[in-house]
Amino acid sequence: MVMLENIIHTPGLDGILLGSDWGSQKDLLMSPTTWRELIRPGEIQEYELIRSAGLDVWVHSCGDIRRILPDLKEMGVDVLNPIQPECMDIYKIKEEVGDRICFWGGISTQQILPYGTPEQVRAETLKVAGALSRGGGYITAPSQEIQKDVPFENLCALIDTAAELSGIR
């Protein structure tokens, strides 16, 4: 909390990204009840402090955290990073909480980016961005960090498509 108190008054910030990994590829690392009892109270304190400075709350949590997404929505999370198609139905999640939470990610770093063609990367980027940006609330990005197994041409296809979608090119 002391670190957050020191950071939140930095000029030029729009939000604070908090790093918390609560999920695995298959589910939460703990039961939703345990998360609500042990994790949620501290998160609420952090979110309230961030909001008191007029900043958005951005949360990073890898894995399948679907069972606590309603909590995050209710707690006022503005952005969720990442959204991983490898372990969550990203389109269903958009329907369920996408009216309140902005999603960051969604382009597969386990399948399409390392193993697809540039054309497949472009098509997937258009599909994901088209669906998740409907009504607002989407940041076009890979679902995780891009690793060395991603061909340069695929990285370029992702960046070029995202740039086109944003009107940069």
Side-chain angles (χ1 to χ4, degrees):
M1 292 298 288
V2 171
M3 288 182 357
L4 278 178
E5 288 169 359
N6 291 326
I7 293 169
I8 61 173
H9 301 295
T10 303
L13 296 182
D14 294 318
I16 301 287
L17 176 63
L18 301 171
S20 302
D21 283 331
W22 302 311
S24 71
Q25 289 282 110
K26 301 205 183 277
D27 202 352
L28 286 171
L29 297 174
M30 64 199 85
S31 73
T33 301
T34 299
W35 185 89
R36 289 178 186 116
E37 290 173 4
L38 299 179
I39 306 295
R40 182 182 164 117
E43 293 295 306
I44 289 174
Q45 286 181 330
E46 292 175 337
Y47 301 176
E48 287 174 352
L49 178 61
I50 292 167
R51 289 207 172 284
S52 75
L55 300 174
D56 289 339
V57 175
W58 298 20
V59 171
H60 168 88
S61 181
C62 296
D64 183 352
I65 61 167
R66 285 177 291 179
R67 296 198 291 160
I68 59 167
L69 283 176
D71 294 87
L72 296 178
K73 177 181 174 180
E74 184 263 322
M75 292 163 61
V77 169
D78 295 294
V79 179
L80 176 62
N81 162 268
I83 182 163
Q84 296 176 263
E86 297 84 10
C87 57
M88 296 188 288
D89 182 338
I90 61 177
Y91 305 107
K92 185 172 181 176
I93 290 169
K94 175 66 176 181
E95 291 174 22
E96 292 172 353
V97 295
D99 63 325
R100 176 62 189 90
I101 299 176
C102 173
F103 299 117
W104 171 358
I107 312 301
S108 174
T109 55
Q110 294 179 18
Q111 298 297 321
I112 195 71
L113 283 170
Y115 304 117
T117 65
E119 294 77 24
Q120 290 170 321
V121 170
R122 177 175 171 71
E124 183 70 6
T125 303
L126 290 170
K127 177 184 171 189
V128 170
L132 297 186
S133 65
R134 211 167 289 126
Y138 179 64
I139 300 168
T140 305
S143 61
Q144 286 290 343
E145 291 180 14
I146 295 176
Q147 303 294 315
K148 65 181 180 177
D149 62 347
V150 174
F152 180 72
E153 296 78 18
N154 287 2
L155 177 57
C156 290
L158 170 63
I159 292 169
D160 290 344
T161 306
E164 289 171 24
L165 289 170
S166 69
I168 295 172
R169 294 185 191 174

